[in-house]
């Protein structure tokens, strides 16, 4: 079983920034992604990146505000979130090992436990 270790969530005011981190200490994934789930809503793709090509994908709602990046030496993916809005409030999940699908419906084999992001107005 692959362990994904997430960190960086928290509470911030609208307009603020956060950086989420997800480390896969013993696993090099072909693709890593971030998803989020708000109360009463389905989980949705936020961003994903293929680790060899650095090709990135973003949800329309976060384009221009969020950036996904990699540190391949640490098997770590980051989600840099700027200009946060209250509607970004959700549990954010890291995912690894691409199992097919077209963005934003990428399927992944491994999932983290989630980290909460709360944006207040």
């Amino acid at each position: 079983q692959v362990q994904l270790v997430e960190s960086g969530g928290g509470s911030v005011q609208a307009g603020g920034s956060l950086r989420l981190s997800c480390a896969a200490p013993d696993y090099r994934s072909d693709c890593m992604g971030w998803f989020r789930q708000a109360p009463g809503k389905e989980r949705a793709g936020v961003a994903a990146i293929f680790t060899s090509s650095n090709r990135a994908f973003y949800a329309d709602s976060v384009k221009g505000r969020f950036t996904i990046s990699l540190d391949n030496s640490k098997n770590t993916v980051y989600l840099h979130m700027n200009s946060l809005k209250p509607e970004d409030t959700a549990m954010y999940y890291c995912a690894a090992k691409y199992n097919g699908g077209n963005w934003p419906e990428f399927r992944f084999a491994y999932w983290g436990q989630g980290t909460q992001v709360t944006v207040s107005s």
Side-chain angles (χ1 to χ4, degrees):
Q1 183 68 22
V2 172
Q3 183 183 16
L4 301 178
V5 182
E6 299 148 326
S7 61
S11 297
V12 66
Q13 289 192 327
S17 299
L18 285 173
R19 187 186 77 164
L20 306 183
S21 300
C22 173
D26 301 310
Y27 181 71
R28 174 69 182 271
S29 180
D30 56 345
C31 181
M32 298 187 77
W34 288 98
F35 288 70
R36 66 186 180 186
Q37 187 168 20
K41 294 188 177 181
E42 293 187 355
R43 187 170 61 189
V46 177
I49 187 167
F50 283 91
T51 58
S52 295
S53 65
N54 274 359
R55 184 180 180 188
F57 299 79
Y58 295 95
D60 288 342
S61 59
V62 306
K63 283 180 181 176
R65 300 188 298 122
F66 290 11
T67 302
I68 189 169
S69 65
L70 289 168
D71 183 339
N72 283 328
S73 68
K74 299 179 181 179
N75 290 346
T76 298
V77 64
Y78 302 97
L79 186 67
H80 308 263
M81 305 185 294
N82 298 318
S83 303
L84 283 160
K85 304 175 180 179
E87 51 263 44
D88 294 318
T89 295
M91 185 71 78
Y92 283 71
Y93 296 92
C94 175
K97 193 179 187 301
Y98 175 65
N99 265 0
N102 296 315
W103 182 256
E105 306 295 332
F106 280 3
R107 295 187 296 275
F108 287 89
Y110 305 118
W111 293 86
Q113 295 299 308
T115 185
Q116 178 68 37
V117 172
T118 302
V119 185
S120 58
S121 57

